[in-house]
Amino acid sequence: GQVLVESGGGSVQAGGSLRLSCAVARSAYSSSCMAWFRQAPGKEREEVASVYSHDGRTYYSDSVKGRFTISADNAKNMVYLQMNSLNPADTASYYCAAKPGGCYATTWFFEGTYMYWGQGTQVTVSS
């Protein structure tokens, strides 16, 4: 089966909120750095946020800091991305990713280091 499965995308008006969920296979969840990336049409994929399942340490890109919150539920092997104050620039396909080991300030945003990827979920924000 799939290692990572996202859900929760949809359409919302500017200023609204959405919560994305990522179900993580047990083998990929333990002591892993888990992250959300996004890719808008015609643009490269970019980092959004990461969380280390072991200690809850989080990192955010500047573009979402203060608006988005990433969290991990160790009992359910789930990762969430709460997105508030959404604006049209947040429109993108959002991808959950995971890799063994911790999240670090200098490396969490390197997408090439992530071993597992979900299929993506679309978020559309209208003005």
Side-chain angles (χ1 to χ4, degrees):
Q2 289 181 281
V3 179
L4 303 174
V5 180
E6 303 101 331
S7 60
S11 297
V12 65
Q13 289 192 323
S17 298
L18 281 174
R19 188 176 84 152
L20 305 183
S21 300
C22 178
V24 185
R26 187 186 187 100
S27 60
Y29 188 94
S30 179
S31 294
S32 292
C33 179
M34 293 170 291
W36 289 94
F37 288 78
R38 67 185 182 185
Q39 186 168 22
K43 294 188 177 181
E44 292 187 353
R45 190 155 54 187
E46 63 175 6
E47 71 279 5
V48 176
S50 72
V51 60
Y52 182 29
S53 62
H54 181 65
D55 62 10
R57 187 186 327 162
T58 59
Y59 296 99
Y60 296 91
S61 68
D62 289 342
S63 62
V64 307
K65 198 174 295 182
R67 299 187 299 122
F68 292 11
T69 302
I70 190 171
S71 61
D73 186 331
N74 292 347
K76 297 181 179 179
N77 291 358
M78 295 289 295
V79 180
Y80 304 102
L81 185 68
Q82 177 66 43
M83 305 184 295
N84 298 329
S85 301
L86 285 161
N87 59 66
D90 296 314
T91 294
S93 291
Y94 284 71
Y95 297 88
C96 182
K99 61 179 177 178
C103 300
Y104 302 98
T106 54
T107 59
W108 75 269
F109 44 85
F110 289 128
E111 64 173 282
T113 63
Y114 286 82
M115 183 178 298
Y116 306 106
W117 290 86
Q119 81 287 354
T121 185
Q122 178 66 34
V123 172
T124 302
V125 185
S126 58
S127 57

